[in-house]
Amino acid sequence: MVYILNIETATKNCSVSIGADGKTIALKELSEEQFNHAEKLHVFIQDILNEVGISLNDLNAISVSKGPGSYTGLRIGVSSAKGLCYALNIPLIAIETLEILAHQLNVEKGLVVPMIDARRMEVFTQVFSHDKKALNDPYALIVEENSFDTFNDDIHLIGDGAFKCKELLNTEKFHYYDEFVYPSANEMSLLSFQKYTENKIEDVAYFEPYYLKDFMLTTKK
């Protein structure tokens, strides 16, 4: 049995799961505006280890959501995952946040477009086929009426960045789902197991989050 601890902190959702051979056997998560991930993450990890009845030493690997997303959230998740991997001497697996979000939606045709809210009318997004194959790289998009004119297929939008696009992206090809949907460690179990079996692991010493955009500080006027 391959046990993998999955950590997802790239958005407002602080989410951890344990996967056994690619299936989620324990999940704990909480979405809050305050971003209290630093306080909750290690408590959640211990809680699900206790629930399953295993210890950190029983883990075969740790996977983490690599971004894009919240700078603070990503730093917390990645630093925790790297520290545990180093201490336990086990592999680190990284999964793109938008891929995790895309796997929450199952459709038979069309395109799946996960969106993570950035600011104003900007989102982090990526386009996937209905069977979750990435058609482009993650990118930052300022949403306009013609943002997806190059695609003729139905477009299924998911994530907390999708609903603010409703007024602009309002033709029949756009389909919307639940408003407050965040990436979850639940979908990471299968993705991390696949990478583990393919030996797609990261260098613990040098791995960094994928911020996509440079961090910018603003000053009060």
Side-chain angles (χ1 to χ4, degrees):
M1 187 74 71
V2 174
Y3 291 112
I4 300 178
L5 171 67
N6 304 291
I7 298 173
E8 215 315 314
T9 58
T11 65
K12 296 175 183 177
N13 195 28
C14 181
S15 179
V16 294
S17 72
I18 293 176
D21 288 351
K23 294 183 179 179
T24 298
I25 58 173
L27 172 69
K28 188 164 187 177
E29 57 188 353
L30 180 66
S31 301
E32 287 186 319
E33 292 288 339
Q34 292 84 3
F35 277 93
N36 293 323
H37 298 353
E39 300 173 11
K40 292 183 167 55
L41 179 57
H42 288 280
V43 176
F44 284 8
I45 291 172
Q46 191 58 57
D47 285 348
I48 62 171
L49 287 171
N50 293 339
E51 180 182 337
V52 175
I54 63 174
S55 71
L56 287 170
N57 292 321
D58 295 310
L59 297 173
N60 298 93
I62 294 174
S63 81
V64 66
S65 175
K66 65 180 288 187
S70 156
Y71 297 99
T72 302
L74 288 170
R75 285 197 299 271
I76 291 169
V78 169
S79 61
S80 297
K82 289 175 66 172
L84 287 169
C85 285
Y86 181 79
L88 299 168
N89 194 28
I90 57 177
L92 173 67
I93 298 166
I95 305 173
E96 289 185 350
T97 307
L98 290 163
E99 181 181 10
I100 297 167
L101 182 55
H103 274 78
Q104 289 197 34
L105 192 59
N106 294 311
V107 295
E108 294 183 356
K109 62 180 182 177
L111 304 173
V112 176
V113 179
M115 287 184 168
I116 295 174
D117 191 13
R119 57 179 183 175
R120 299 186 181 93
M121 286 307 295
E122 189 171 21
V123 296
F124 299 130
T125 191
Q126 190 174 9
V127 180
F128 293 82
S129 62
H130 73 278
D131 54 354
K132 311 305 188 300
K133 293 179 181 177
L135 303 183
N136 54 16
D137 294 326
Y139 64 104
L141 170 69
I142 297 176
V143 180
E144 299 174 341
E145 290 181 354
N146 62 351
S147 292
F148 293 93
D149 281 359
T150 56
F151 298 100
N152 296 319
D153 305 85
D154 281 0
I155 295 177
H156 304 271
L157 300 106
I158 184 172
D160 67 337
F163 262 71
K164 69 180 184 181
C165 305
K166 257 190 152 181
E167 290 187 9
L168 290 175
L169 307 179
N170 55 15
T171 62
E172 291 182 354
K173 74 176 183 180
F174 293 103
H175 304 273
Y176 294 86
Y177 298 85
D178 293 339
E179 182 170 359
F180 299 107
V181 178
Y182 303 102
S184 169
N186 185 46
E187 282 68 40
M188 293 176 70
S189 293
L190 177 60
L191 296 171
S192 61
F193 181 66
Q194 289 172 341
K195 285 200 169 187
Y196 179 84
T197 57
E198 297 168 0
N199 199 35
K200 293 181 178 179
I201 61 176
E202 305 294 333
D203 187 318
V204 175
Y206 296 102
F207 176 74
E208 294 291 337
Y210 178 45
Y211 294 121
L212 189 59
K213 293 183 67 178
D214 293 333
F215 182 69
M216 297 183 66
L217 291 174
T218 57
T219 56
K220 293 182 179 180
K221 295 181 179 180

